[in-house]
Amino acid sequence: MISDGLLDFAVSRSDLMFRPAAGVLKHPYIDPGGPYSENLWDWDSYWAAVALFAIANERGDGRMLHKVKLHGRGSLLNFFEAQGEDGSLPILMSPKDVDWFDSVGNPRNNMAKPVQALFLQLLWRNGAIERDSARELLAGIRKVSECRNRRYRHEGSGLLVWANDIAIGVDDDPTVWGRDDFSCAHIYYNSFLAMDLQAAASLAEELGLGELREYFNVEYGRIVQAIDAYAWDRRDRWYYSCDVRCRQNLKPHRYFPPLNTYLEPFWRVMPLRVRGFSGLLPLVAKIASEEQARAVVEKLTDPDEFWCDYGIRTMSKAEDRFYEDKLFRGNPSNWLGPVWIISSYLAYVALKNYGYLEPAERLARNTLKLLADDYAENHLLHEYYSPENGKPISGPGFLNWNLLAFCMK
C-alpha cells in the first residue's frame, strides 16, 4: 500500500515528539516535531494525540500506546497547572516559559483555543486518566469557559471574539489578521467552542457530575444557536466569521444632539464574506442542517473553490485574497490557499459526518499520496503544500497533525 512505508517512517519519527518533563513543564508532553521542537501548543498537542492514539491502537503497539497516554495526559496537566486565577490558560508553553503569549490573567490577549474538554475526553476514553483527575480537570474547564465568556463574549450575538490576531491557529485569516482587536467573531473559534462544550457535557454525564453537565449543555445550546443565527449566510449559503462592531454613532454635533439617536442598527453583526475552510467546521461539529451541509459540500468539492488534487485549499480559489505562495514567507504562516493536512482532515470528517462518503474517500487518498510523494522525494514531511502542484512550501520535519492522514479511512 502507498502508506505502508510512510506510516513506518511517521511512527519512527513520532518518538521525537514525546518530550520529558523539563524546566517549568512538570509533566512529559507532546511537541509538533520539526521546527517546533520542545513547544507545547494548545490545539497542536490535542490533534497529535488524536492521531497517535489511533495509530497505536490500530497497530496494537503497547509501547507506543503507553507513551501517548503518558505524554498526552502530561500535556493537558501542564496547561492546567499554569491556569490563572481567572480561569485563563496559556496558548504556548515550553521548558523555559509557561506562557509565551501572556494569556494568563491578561484579558486583552487571546488564551488557549477551545480543545481542553475534547482532549480530556480523548484521554478518558483511552484509559489515560483516572476518574478523580478527570473530575478535577473538568471543574477547571468550567473555569476556562467562564473566563472566555467574561473576556470574549459579544453580548449582542452570543458569539465569542478573538482579542487580537496573535496565535489564533489559522494565523493570517483576513477576517482576523491585521484587523481591530475584539472585532471578529471567528467561525473557527465558535465552532471549536461548540465541539468542546459538547464534549464537556458528555464527559460530565459519564462522570456523574450533573451540575457541570447542565452548565455545559446550556453553554453549548447558546453557542449553537448563535452560530446558526449569525454565522450562516443565507445568500451565499456558507458559514462566515462576523464583525461585531455594529453600533450607533452618537457623537454630538456642534449644533445638534447626536444625529443617529433613532437609527440604532437592528443587525447584531456584519458577515465578513471571506470564504475560508473554517466555514466547514459547523459540519465537523455536526450542528449544520442537512440542507446547510449540502450547500457547504457543493463549494468544498468544487475545484474552482476548495477542492484540489492534493487535499483542500485553506481558502477558496475564487477569493481575491487567495495567495498560493511557493516560497516560505515567515510568520504568520500561510493559510490563504496552501494545503494543510489539518484542514484536509477536518474536511474529511465533515464529509463523513453527513454521508458524503465518495468525496471523503477521494480526499483521504489524495492526502496520503501528497505525504507519500513528499516522503519519497525529501525523506521527511512538511507543514503545508502548494495546492497547484503538491510541492512543499514550509516547515521541513513537521509531523504533528500530519499523522491525521492515517485516520482518514
Side-chain angles (χ1 to χ4, degrees), residues 30 32 41-49 113 383 398 400-401:
I30 302 173
W41 287 91
D42 44 13
W43 77 318
D44 303 62
S45 57
Y46 165 66
W47 287 118
K113 294 172 274 297
E383 192 169 10
F398 185 80
N400 195 37
W401 53 48

Side-chain angles (χ1 to χ4, degrees), residues 86-145:
D86 64 348
S88 54
L89 289 177
I91 296 169
L92 170 62
M93 311 177 74
S94 77
K96 66 180 181 181
D97 194 327
V98 293
D99 188 16
W100 278 78
F101 293 108
D102 301 322
S103 302
V104 175
N106 189 341
R108 298 300 305 176
N109 289 338
N110 292 325
M111 57 185 266
K113 294 172 274 297
V115 295
Q116 292 71 43
L118 289 164
F119 206 160
L120 180 58
Q121 185 180 59
L122 178 71
L123 295 171
W124 173 253
R125 290 180 176 175
N126 282 279
I129 198 159
E130 296 179 350
R131 176 176 290 268
D132 288 347
S133 294
R135 289 166 68 101
E136 184 178 343
L137 285 168
L138 202 57
I141 289 169
R142 175 171 180 164
K143 290 178 63 180
V144 178
S145 171

Side-chain angles (χ1 to χ4, degrees), residues 272-305:
L272 293 164
R273 289 190 170 102
V274 178
R275 198 171 292 158
F277 87 94
S278 295
L280 64 84
L281 292 176
L283 279 66
V284 180
K286 296 191 282 191
I287 59 177
S289 69
E290 295 293 334
E291 181 182 355
Q292 289 168 326
R294 184 163 52 252
V296 169
V297 169
E298 284 177 5
K299 296 176 179 65
L300 181 61
T301 56
D302 185 345
D304 291 327
E305 295 240 18

Side-chain angles (χ1 to χ4, degrees), residues 137-169:
L137 285 168
L138 202 57
I141 289 169
R142 175 171 180 164
K143 290 178 63 180
V144 178
S145 171
E146 292 168 340
C147 181
R148 285 197 182 102
N149 286 342
R150 288 192 302 270
R151 286 190 179 192
Y152 311 126
R153 184 177 292 280
H154 174 242
E155 291 304 323
S157 65
L159 296 168
L160 269 67
V161 300
W162 290 118
N164 50 51
D165 62 4
I166 303 301
I168 62 171

